Amino acid sequence: MPLKDLPSDCQPREKLLAKGAGALSDAELLAIVLRTGMAGKSVLQWAAELLAPRQPDALGSVGSFGSINGLLQASSAELSQVKGLGPAKRAELIAVLELARRAMAQQLQQRRLLDSAATVKAYVQLHLAHKQHEVFAVLFLDSQHQLIALEELFRGTLGQACVYPREVVIRALHHHAGAVILAHNHPSGQVTPSQADKQLTQSLQAALSLVDVRVLDHIIVGPGAALSMAEEGEM
């Protein structure tokens, strides 16, 4: 059932225009993006099912992702397995995520990152948390601790990524960075830093200090979770 066929008091688009986006549930906002339901389901019912807690067969005939975050961080391959999500709807969902990434990047480029740790963690989550393999990235900052660029520098297996301090130093010099924030994902979802994570942080701090670049933090993210080593007193 498309949105236009819902009773007027159940139409999320009209509710949004009348009361603002904050008045809508996650399912109602998703229904606006999806626009139409599928056979035997209204668009609101379908949206609610897509956001329902994941089951063992989460990508079955309907599919569920547990949350808006889970849905938007799903890969194109995962989305393609969900019945009813054709190429147009998949493209729209992926575009929504990319718009969120770019909007957050613009925010970070206009403020000191030390003043917005929560935004930094959310930004790193958008980039890395959905990846099925481990990725090591670096946020390069200027002398005012504003974002210059985020680069994914190394990729590894589910267990570890091979990180070379020399390459991080070269990229920091390329960007004329005054500071960096390290970041990587744990595809398992467990974001507690390992002993290897701590040793890597120390090695990069030592290497970057030789060119007067400070390491401000090391962010570890996973599906639905993020940790700042600086906030945890690990740096």
Side-chain angles (χ1 to χ4, degrees):
M1 179 185 295
L3 289 177
K4 65 183 179 63
D5 293 335
L6 292 171
S8 59
D9 59 348
C10 294
Q11 293 187 13
R13 188 165 48 213
E14 284 66 26
K15 182 177 177 182
L16 181 149
L17 294 174
K19 299 182 179 180
L24 275 66
S25 67
D26 289 349
E28 288 173 322
L29 289 169
L30 178 57
I32 292 175
V33 176
L34 295 174
R35 295 193 312 280
T36 60
M38 55 190 298
K41 292 186 193 299
S42 73
V43 66
L44 277 172
Q45 289 175 311
W46 188 30
E49 289 188 359
L50 287 170
L51 302 180
R54 299 193 76 156
Q55 302 301 318
D57 59 344
L59 292 177
S61 60
V62 175
S64 59
F65 294 87
S67 65
I68 283 286
N69 184 56
L71 176 61
L72 292 181
Q73 293 195 23
S75 67
S76 181
E78 287 179 307
L79 294 175
S80 70
Q81 297 179 56
V82 180
K83 183 179 178 180
L85 280 181
K89 284 186 170 66
R90 293 202 305 273
E92 288 169 359
L93 288 170
I94 294 169
V96 167
L97 175 58
E98 184 59 27
L99 285 171
R101 284 195 188 107
R102 295 185 186 191
M104 198 167 290
Q106 290 172 8
Q107 290 181 35
L108 294 179
Q109 287 167 346
Q110 296 168 3
R111 67 175 69 177
R112 287 170 53 85
L113 295 197
L114 286 180
D115 299 333
S116 53
T119 304
V120 175
K121 286 191 286 189
Y123 181 57
V124 173
Q125 273 191 298
L126 281 173
H127 276 273
L128 303 182
H130 65 288
K131 295 183 181 294
Q132 300 302 306
H133 51 273
E134 194 160 322
V135 175
F136 184 89
V138 179
L139 286 77
F140 298 98
L141 318 178
D142 64 17
S143 60
Q144 300 301 311
H145 296 162
Q146 293 178 326
L147 181 66
I148 299 171
L150 179 149
E151 291 188 5
E152 296 180 14
L153 296 182
F154 307 103
R155 293 188 176 196
T157 65
L158 288 176
Q160 65 179 29
C162 296
V163 179
Y164 300 99
R166 178 176 178 273
E167 296 301 319
V168 178
V169 170
I170 289 172
R171 297 309 297 165
L173 293 173
H174 169 81
H175 287 293
H176 303 287
V180 299
I181 293 176
L182 312 175
H184 78 281
N185 65 315
H186 284 176
S188 66
Q190 172 56 257
V191 296
T192 302
S194 65
Q195 189 59 39
D197 293 334
K198 297 175 185 178
Q199 292 174 348
L200 173 62
T201 303
Q202 293 170 357
S203 296
L204 289 171
Q205 283 179 308
L208 287 161
S209 69
L210 298 176
V211 291
D212 295 321
V213 176
R214 291 182 59 203
V215 178
L216 302 181
D217 204 346
H218 189 161
I219 305 293
I220 303 172
V221 300
L227 176 141
S228 158
M229 288 181 62
E231 289 181 338
E232 296 295 316
E234 298 284 359
M235 295 182 62

